[in-house]
Amino acid sequence: MKSEPFSLYIHIPYCISKCPYCDFNSHVVAQIPEDGYTDALLRELELYGGKDGWRGRTLQSIFFGGGTPSTFKPASIGKLLAWAAATFPIANDCEITMEANPGTVDAAYFPGYRDAGVNRISVGVQSFQPKLLKFLGRVHSAEEAKTALNIVKQSGFDNFSFDLIFANPGQSLADLDADLDSALEFQPPHLSAYNLTFEEGTPFHHEYRAGRMANLDEDTEIAMAELIDAKLGAAGLKRYEISNYARPWFHSLHNVNYWHSGDYLGLGAGAHSYRREADGVAGLRWNNEKSPAKYMAQVAATQQAEVEREIIDAHKAAAEFMFLGLRMTEGIRVETFRQRFGQTPREFYPQIDGWIDGELLIEQARFLRFTAKGLMLANSIFVHFM
Ligand code: SF4
């Protein structure tokens, strides 16, 4: 029986409006079926609590993602956390994160989330500038974003994070500089900075395909990435993953588990799960029905909502280990790779030597990691593993 700790992801798929760049499994409905959806999550949780491969294992992190989890009342979040604690042992230092959207931050809810056991909040700010918020189709204003962050802090959450989106068409370096200044006023222990991408199926992608929206030029994007790194670094927020920055001890444990190819159980509409087999090499990934209504119906009928599964053989597991682990600035531990896959990364992927010669990767102190130059080109290297 497996005994290592694992992470739990709970997907709350509802939003009050759909942002035009978003390709997450998020839905706008006239009335959010909070009770029915919570019941379905509880039933799914109960099922996995009794299943081989999960039963008796300790929870090291729980993450409520979305969609917009802050559309749910503290009572529902509390019910789910109480049920999780009744189903699995919970580590004393279990990180319990909830995503919140400034447009839905109800001051009265946040002490309730904290009392329910949530100990980390991640706020989808994206920008503090009205013109960029408008462009991104966000429902909240810059003032509401600031109010939300103040509410989070005043509710006693010392561990919080927020997202910024940069490289928006028309955004200047000065715009980004102003956003970073506003961000740092809140002294966040963790911050994520994502560059805007045009994901297939979104209205932004449609505009992009039609030639009405374009990426910023490469030089400006690089200058923006350098500005973020320099400014956040000077404020004590060290880059530890391609898009994530943290003060010491404030890394997102939940996401680090993904980047270390650790096991996670995903509950809710469209949620993905991953579990390594007992040999520690190959694994299994599966995902749930995406439509919230169908998800609830399927769970009501069978207690689970799995619609697809994929066997991750040793070759694919090695590739995932590489491209997930290399996202982290510390890189991958060469010995961990060798123990798991029987060869060192350089033996498994001879092309690594070329990237080392080209100063994109470096092997140092038993870790293989990107150089600063390599991080800028990470995506073009990741495709070689896939
Ligand atoms: S609030 Fe977040 S999840 Fe919802 S539509 Fe916007 S980006 Fe997507």
Side-chain angles (χ1 to χ4, degrees):
M1 193 186 86
K2 270 200 152 191
S3 59
E4 317 109 72
F6 72 102
S7 295
L8 177 67
Y9 175 80
I10 299 179
H11 192 73
I12 309 288
Y14 304 105
C15 286
I16 49 175
S17 74
K18 185 82 183 175
C19 305
Y21 58 88
C22 173
D23 73 335
F24 297 147
N25 185 31
S26 61
H27 302 261
V28 179
V29 292
Q31 179 88 42
I32 294 176
E34 183 171 339
D35 291 342
Y37 191 82
T38 304
D39 283 347
L41 289 169
L42 294 172
R43 287 189 54 128
E44 229 197 329
L45 187 53
E46 184 186 28
L47 174 85
Y48 284 103
K51 271 200 169 193
D52 285 349
W54 300 108
R55 191 176 41 244
R57 292 176 65 183
T58 301
L59 274 171
Q60 63 188 0
S61 68
I62 303 175
F63 195 104
F64 291 93
T68 307
S70 53
T71 51
F72 275 32
K73 295 183 206 63
S76 304
I77 301 294
K79 227 192 244 183
L80 287 161
L81 288 175
W83 201 248
T87 308
F88 296 105
I90 302 227
N92 288 338
D93 56 353
C94 184
E95 176 191 272
I96 304 177
T97 304
M98 199 181 94
E99 288 181 336
N101 182 330
T104 63
V105 168
D106 182 332
Y109 279 8
F110 278 75
Y113 294 139
R114 201 200 51 225
D115 292 346
V118 175
N119 55 28
R120 183 172 183 271
I121 299 282
S122 174
V123 189
V125 168
Q126 318 312 356
S127 174
F128 291 97
Q129 298 192 33
K131 68 172 182 187
L132 288 176
L133 289 171
K134 187 160 178 245
F135 168 74
L136 292 168
R138 303 291 297 180
V139 287
H140 60 88
S141 66
E143 276 321 301
E144 281 169 326
K146 290 180 178 175
T147 304
L149 288 170
N150 283 325
I151 290 171
V152 167
K153 289 182 83 166
Q154 284 155 12
S155 305
F157 289 100
D158 301 328
N159 192 356
F160 68 97
S161 176
F162 55 91
D163 301 344
L164 293 179
I165 293 182
F166 71 99
N168 301 294
Q171 185 183 23
S172 68
L173 215 49
D175 290 332
L176 176 63
D177 200 31
D179 255 351
L180 292 169
D181 281 338
S182 301
L184 290 173
E185 279 171 26
F186 292 91
Q187 301 183 313
H190 186 285
L191 201 144
S192 306
Y194 299 106
N195 66 327
L196 181 70
T197 51
F198 303 112
E199 301 297 334
E200 219 163 315
T202 62
F204 270 17
H205 188 256
H206 185 75
E207 294 299 291
Y208 174 71
R209 287 281 299 275
R212 290 189 290 268
M213 210 179 257
N215 287 111
L216 286 184
D217 64 275
E218 207 179 308
D219 287 348
T220 308
E221 274 203 36
I222 289 173
M224 286 186 166
E226 286 172 350
L227 178 67
I228 293 168
D229 212 31
K231 204 146 179 164
L232 296 185
L237 288 150
K238 198 165 170 282
R239 189 182 199 181
Y240 70 101
E241 192 266 352
I242 288 179
S243 308
N244 285 282
Y245 298 78
R247 296 187 197 287
W249 311 109
F250 283 96
H251 301 175
S252 161
L253 298 181
H254 188 84
N255 288 335
V256 167
N257 182 54
Y258 291 143
W259 299 320
H260 282 168
S261 297
D263 289 5
Y264 53 89
L265 175 63
L267 306 180
H272 290 245
S273 301
Y274 175 72
R275 200 187 66 220
R276 271 194 286 148
E277 299 298 357
D279 67 2
V281 180
L284 194 64
R285 179 174 297 113
W286 64 94
N287 58 280
N288 280 352
E289 164 60 48
K290 277 181 96 171
S291 144
K294 287 186 188 160
Y295 160 79
M296 285 188 279
Q298 193 169 328
V299 173
T302 64
Q303 214 182 342
Q304 56 81 40
E306 182 186 324
V307 286
E308 244 175 343
R309 65 169 48 196
E310 181 188 8
I311 292 170
I312 311 294
D313 62 17
H315 227 82
K316 188 141 199 238
E320 292 189 354
F321 189 93
M322 292 300 294
F323 70 73
L324 290 170
L326 283 173
R327 294 189 64 87
M328 299 195 64
T329 52
E330 71 170 18
I332 58 159
R333 207 170 149 261
V334 171
E335 185 53 19
T336 306
F337 185 95
R338 197 193 61 75
Q339 280 171 3
R340 200 175 287 185
F341 302 106
Q343 287 177 302
T344 65
R346 292 169 81 168
E347 286 163 348
F348 209 100
Y349 297 106
Q351 62 269 48
I352 287 177
D353 286 336
W355 293 324
I356 290 177
D357 290 344
E359 297 180 350
L360 300 175
L361 287 175
I362 183 169
E363 194 175 322
Q364 205 176 43
R366 287 181 245 166
F367 277 80
L368 180 72
R369 66 172 73 91
F370 275 122
T371 60
K373 180 174 152 195
L375 266 178
M376 296 281 184
L377 301 169
N379 286 336
S380 57
I381 290 182
F382 291 152
V383 294
H384 292 277
F385 295 113
M386 286 139 96

